[in-house]
Amino acid sequence: MTRVIVVNHDPALAAEQSAMLRASGYQVEQCGGPMAEPCPVLGDLPCPLVDRADVLVYDAWAAGDSDGGRRLVAHLREVYADLPVILTAVDESLGWVETEGPGRVTPLTGRPTQEVLRRAVEAALEDQGMAV
């Protein structure tokens, strides 16, 4: 079974996304992100939750602001280069979001539906390994 980690600064959105992913057949764990608890990834250390994951669904604003999100994703890509990352809550103000190369993510704008999340997970898993 595919294991997904959902990281979102908003507990209600995290619960909503987790429920949709579970309904799509994924095993899901949640994390409140670096605003809620210390984040080992920001210290370039492995994270026990991420270590168990097949795909990551991160809120672009999980670290509080655009620059924090950029740093968090950069650290994720350094520590977990081959793990697919889906970035939610992406908007035009996030000029740092990369869709190709080693820093690539699968960006989702707006509030994703269950079908959009499911398709993003499947596409990210198919693309896994292309970033290394």
Side-chain angles (χ1 to χ4, degrees), residues 6 8 10-22 28 30:
V6 173
N8 198 304
D10 182 329
L13 286 177
E16 177 182 290
Q17 291 174 355
S18 295
M20 289 189 288
L21 289 163
R22 283 186 189 102
V28 180
Q30 289 179 245

Side-chain angles (χ1 to χ4, degrees), residues 51-80:
D51 286 341
R52 297 188 297 262
D54 297 306
V55 65
L56 307 173
V57 177
Y58 267 69
D59 167 20
W61 304 94
D65 59 16
S66 175
D67 192 52
R70 180 192 56 76
R71 284 192 317 272
L72 179 58
V73 170
H75 285 291
L76 274 172
R77 301 320 297 148
E78 288 173 17
V79 178
Y80 297 98

Side-chain angles (χ1 to χ4, degrees), residues 73-91:
V73 170
H75 285 291
L76 274 172
R77 301 320 297 148
E78 288 173 17
V79 178
Y80 297 98
D82 62 341
L83 197 58
V85 176
I86 298 166
L87 201 59
T88 63
V90 173
D91 63 38

